[in-house]
Amino acid sequence: MSETNYLLGQKVFQSIQDDILSGRYQREEELREIAIGEELRVSRTPVREALRQLELDGLVKIIPNRGAYVVGISLEDMKEIYELRCILEKLCAKWAVKNAALEQIEGMEEVIYLTQYHINKGHMKQMAGLDGKFHEILYEAGGSRILEQTLKNYHRYLKRVRRNSLLNPERAKEANKEHRQILEALKERDEEKAENAASLHMIHAIKNIDSYGWENITGGHKNGKN
């Protein structure tokens, strides 16, 4: 496969994945190769390859002689991912104390300042992207390629929950303060403080979702359907 075809395939994969995780496609909805190809202005080949890759990721189920159908992320999946993140984010913060480079620390600080600016301006739609950027840098700072990729995938799978949760100004403010606490621990090179700050951040995130109700904050029902 040429580099051009590979990059095209990844672009198609990312587009379909984003549509699944954002809730554009409902669970059990058929993903039609021709319709997707026409929308993205590509042939059926990269669409077919993207669907196969999404099946490996557990987001799509391909039934022979029938087609590809959305599996997506159910509420039960989301709850499990948050529990896993409680453990892995804590570990990542601990490793980041040893491995974070100065530019990564400065990058996280810049995100925190930018987040506060948008909160003050009431630009709440910016929050999910900024939250994602902070965690992306933190995951890279952990120094483990495997842990980084795992956490990035989990963060991506929770896109809809994070987006809706951070539309709440109070939660956005608290989350940014919690990010600041994690950053301060990294600056001080304090492993225990970093672990505690990361753990508390995840606990508060889960409590916030509990207060709204998982079904309400995802716009779905218990079985994960819209």
Side-chain angles (χ1 to χ4, degrees):
M1 180 184 294
S2 69
E3 182 178 358
T4 299
N5 288 337
Y6 173 78
L7 292 174
L8 177 62
Q10 288 302 302
K11 182 178 179 180
V12 173
F13 167 80
Q14 191 66 59
S15 178
I16 300 173
Q17 184 190 66
D18 286 345
D19 285 340
I20 292 173
L21 297 177
S22 68
R24 178 186 176 191
Y25 294 124
Q26 298 183 15
R27 284 172 61 83
E28 301 179 8
E29 181 176 350
E30 184 177 2
L31 297 169
R32 301 181 183 276
E33 292 179 9
I34 294 177
I36 294 173
E38 290 177 349
E39 180 182 347
L40 299 178
R41 298 182 180 180
V42 298
S43 68
R44 294 178 66 179
T45 300
V47 175
R48 188 178 299 117
E49 291 301 319
L51 293 176
R52 287 173 181 166
Q53 189 175 350
L54 287 163
E55 184 179 37
L56 292 175
D57 287 350
L59 295 177
V60 167
K61 182 177 182 180
I62 298 176
I63 303 176
N65 302 318
R66 286 186 57 188
Y69 296 84
V70 175
V71 175
I73 301 292
S74 69
L75 294 185
E76 288 75 17
D77 294 333
M78 292 179 185
K79 291 177 182 179
E80 289 177 5
I81 290 172
Y82 266 103
E83 287 193 34
L84 288 167
R85 281 186 66 197
C86 281
I87 298 170
L88 297 181
E89 295 261 356
K90 182 177 178 180
L91 180 62
C92 183
K94 177 182 178 181
W95 288 354
V97 166
K98 295 180 179 179
N99 298 313
L102 177 60
E103 57 266 27
Q104 291 169 327
I105 290 176
E106 291 176 344
M108 283 184 275
E109 189 154 37
E110 182 178 343
V111 172
I112 289 171
Y113 282 125
L114 188 57
T115 300
Q116 190 59 55
Y117 168 81
H118 284 295
I119 290 174
N120 293 341
K121 293 292 185 179
H123 301 160
M124 304 316 297
K125 290 184 179 180
Q126 307 284 345
M127 293 303 101
L130 290 167
D131 174 81
K133 183 62 178 177
F134 177 88
H135 283 275
E136 179 181 326
I137 299 173
L138 177 63
Y139 300 158
E140 293 171 355
S144 166
R145 181 177 61 84
I146 300 301
L147 182 57
E148 176 188 344
Q149 192 58 53
T150 299
L151 283 169
K152 282 184 176 180
N153 284 339
Y154 285 165
H155 216 242
R156 193 177 303 116
Y157 290 165
L158 298 170
K159 179 177 181 178
R160 192 168 12 154
V161 179
R162 294 189 302 101
R163 179 190 63 200
N164 292 340
S165 174
L166 292 168
L167 286 175
N168 178 345
E170 289 305 313
R171 177 54 199 155
K173 290 178 184 178
E174 288 304 312
N176 203 39
K177 288 180 181 177
E178 292 157 14
H179 286 172
R180 168 63 72 182
Q181 291 168 351
I182 294 171
L183 178 62
E184 291 303 322
L186 299 187
K187 286 182 175 181
E188 296 170 15
R189 302 297 178 181
D190 189 324
E191 290 186 4
E192 183 177 358
K193 186 175 179 180
E195 286 183 294
N196 290 339
S199 180
L200 195 61
H201 179 49
M202 293 310 308
I203 289 171
H204 286 170
I206 293 171
K207 284 184 177 180
N208 179 64
I209 299 172
D210 285 340
S211 69
Y212 276 89
W214 288 78
E215 292 84 356
N216 296 328
I217 207 163
T218 60
H221 302 294
K222 186 175 181 181
N223 61 5
K225 294 182 181 180
N226 292 332

